[in-house]
Amino acid sequence: MIDLRSDTVTRPSAAMLSAMMAAETGDDVYGDDPTVNALEAKAAALSGKEAALFLPTGTQANLVALLCHCQRGEEYIVGQLAHNYKYEAGGAAVLGSIQPQPILAAKDGTLPLDVVEQFIKPDDFHFAMTRLLSLENTHNGKVLPLAYLQEAWAFTRSHKLALHVDGARIFNAAVALGVTLRDLTQYCDTLTICLSKGLGTPVGSLLCGSKDYIERAKRWRKMTGGAMRQSGILAAAGLYALEHNVTRLQDDHDNAAWLAAQLKAAGVQVSSQNTNMVFVRLPAHQAEPLKAWMRGKGIVLHTGAVTRLVTHLDVDRPALEKVVAEWKAFLASQPD
Ligand SMILES: *Cc1c(COP(=O)(O)O)cnc(C)c1O
């Protein structure tokens, strides 16, 4: 199967599985799992934060992050299409009584700071208290510019807001810019990282922040059911991924650029390509037949008004050559 729906579909490699099999474990609720402790220490060091916490999913890591930043009746400013507003089942509102204040992102994925400023509520009992600005990097594959991160940092300092980055794919941003993770994360208070996207682990996310913040996060992780026992088996996959699967993200970006160019040359309307994602517009009548055609050839696509194709470590260049060849064959089979 060649699966281009998401970079979440990656499966652990033989080498990652053997690292997992060899992991030393303990009960992490007692703080006794050496492999989890090593992963958290590594994440803290890489992000330049004092501490880090291992959680089962990015959704839970973002929820715990919001619960730590905002009390009941407080709010966070976030993008309309951000994962931790739109795609996490309203968890912050449902479970934390935290009010989201969504705003539209600019074309480049940034939240314009002059717009953010207009939505910061004055300290008046009519309003929820604005506590946090939440950014997403990458957003739909778009890398937030370093200069913007710096401005957002200064902006939040002067408005007494905390700054959280949903960095599910932040390593894609670091690799695309040719900078270290720290170069990006120096401009936020807290961040989440997904290990189970392009980094290729089966499970796991990290929340990074100050020591005090991560201590508070441990209570919320426990309450939301995310404190695990011999989770060193999963953390070993994370350590393996941070060691072996970061710099290779460039291959995914190069493959996405190649795929975009090939499809464009074949007459497909490619609307954009950012890091490891290609977005194409299909004529409405083609969406379902293309999906079925590709399925028949062992290629899985999630087609719609906008079709997102995601490259990752389980699709190499020959696999993409097959995708392009089958796409062309499909187009040739269509009546004019
Ligand atoms: C995938 C993703 C998450 C977390 O997803 P999980 O499936 O819960 O791990 C969070 N934010 C963004 C931007 C994501 O793409």
Side-chain angles (χ1 to χ4, degrees):
M1 278 294 183
I2 300 169
D3 194 338
L4 295 176
R5 288 173 301 175
S6 177
D7 47 9
T8 55
V9 301
T10 56
R11 267 163 295 190
S13 63
M16 181 179 280
L17 284 170
S18 49
M20 294 169 76
M21 293 280 283
E24 246 192 277
T25 59
D27 188 329
D28 183 51
V29 175
Y30 290 105
D32 285 349
D33 191 302
T35 312
V36 173
N37 293 341
L39 175 63
E40 291 176 346
K42 187 166 178 99
L46 286 172
S47 63
K49 302 300 173 199
E50 287 172 356
L53 194 63
F54 184 52
L55 296 103
T57 67
T59 298
Q60 194 179 54
N62 275 328
L63 174 63
V64 165
L66 293 170
L67 289 166
C68 284
H69 279 297
C70 303
Q71 305 279 323
R72 178 167 193 245
E74 296 181 343
E75 77 168 7
Y76 66 113
I77 299 177
V78 63
Q80 278 286 359
L81 301 179
H83 202 279
N84 63 357
Y85 170 60
K86 190 174 176 187
Y87 297 96
E88 296 180 4
V94 175
L95 302 171
S97 301
I98 300 164
Q99 166 168 284
Q101 170 61 69
I103 66 170
L104 278 175
K107 258 197 140 99
D108 65 359
T110 62
L111 300 182
L113 297 174
D114 56 335
V115 180
V116 173
E117 190 163 32
Q118 291 166 31
F119 283 95
I120 298 174
K121 318 281 184 286
D123 185 356
D124 170 319
F125 64 70
H126 290 87
F127 306 123
M129 293 277 273
T130 312
R131 289 290 183 211
L132 176 73
L133 173 62
S134 180
L135 302 174
E136 189 173 295
N137 198 10
T138 61
H139 180 56
N140 287 333
K142 288 172 191 157
V143 177
L144 303 190
L146 209 45
Y148 172 78
L149 298 181
Q150 196 167 0
E151 279 168 39
W153 179 244
F155 173 89
T156 52
R157 295 318 88 178
S158 68
H159 289 83
K160 300 201 164 30
L161 300 180
L163 178 53
H164 174 71
V165 172
D166 176 354
R169 296 188 179 87
I170 197 164
F171 277 109
N172 292 84
V175 166
L177 291 173
V179 301
T180 64
L181 183 64
R182 261 179 116 113
D183 290 332
L184 304 179
T185 55
Q186 64 181 315
Y187 302 122
C188 67
D189 295 293
T190 60
L191 70 142
T192 47
I193 302 169
C194 265
L195 297 165
S196 60
K197 302 243 157 112
L199 297 182
T201 75
V203 174
S205 274
L206 290 154
L207 171 61
C208 310
S210 71
K211 231 177 162 146
D212 166 65
Y213 179 90
I214 294 298
E215 276 311 309
R216 289 187 290 118
K218 282 183 187 167
R219 176 170 279 113
W220 290 117
R221 181 183 66 167
K222 184 69 196 166
M223 196 187 296
T224 54
M228 298 179 285
R229 303 294 178 174
Q230 285 71 37
S231 37
I233 291 182
L234 304 174
L239 280 168
Y240 180 91
L242 291 176
E243 191 80 19
H244 297 95
N245 290 348
V246 172
T247 51
R248 66 148 307 285
L249 291 170
Q250 187 61 48
D251 298 346
D252 298 342
H253 302 174
D254 294 344
N255 279 338
W258 182 87
L259 179 63
Q262 293 293 311
L263 291 178
K264 221 179 256 181
V268 176
Q269 198 189 333
V270 175
S271 51
S272 63
Q273 178 259 317
N274 314 297
T275 57
N276 66 331
M277 297 183 188
V278 181
F279 295 88
V280 304
R281 285 183 188 284
L282 301 171
H285 66 276
Q286 274 185 14
E288 278 309 309
L290 175 69
K291 184 174 164 177
W293 176 281
M294 291 299 206
R295 257 289 176 187
K297 315 289 180 189
I299 298 164
V300 189
L301 304 181
H302 191 82
T303 58
V306 176
T307 296
R308 186 185 76 162
L309 309 165
V310 185
T311 56
H312 53 76
L313 82 181
D314 287 352
V315 284
D316 55 12
R317 190 63 66 87
L320 293 175
E321 282 166 4
K322 180 176 170 180
V323 170
V324 171
E326 290 302 343
W327 202 308
K328 286 180 180 164
F330 166 78
L331 292 175
S333 78
Q334 294 290 327
D336 289 328

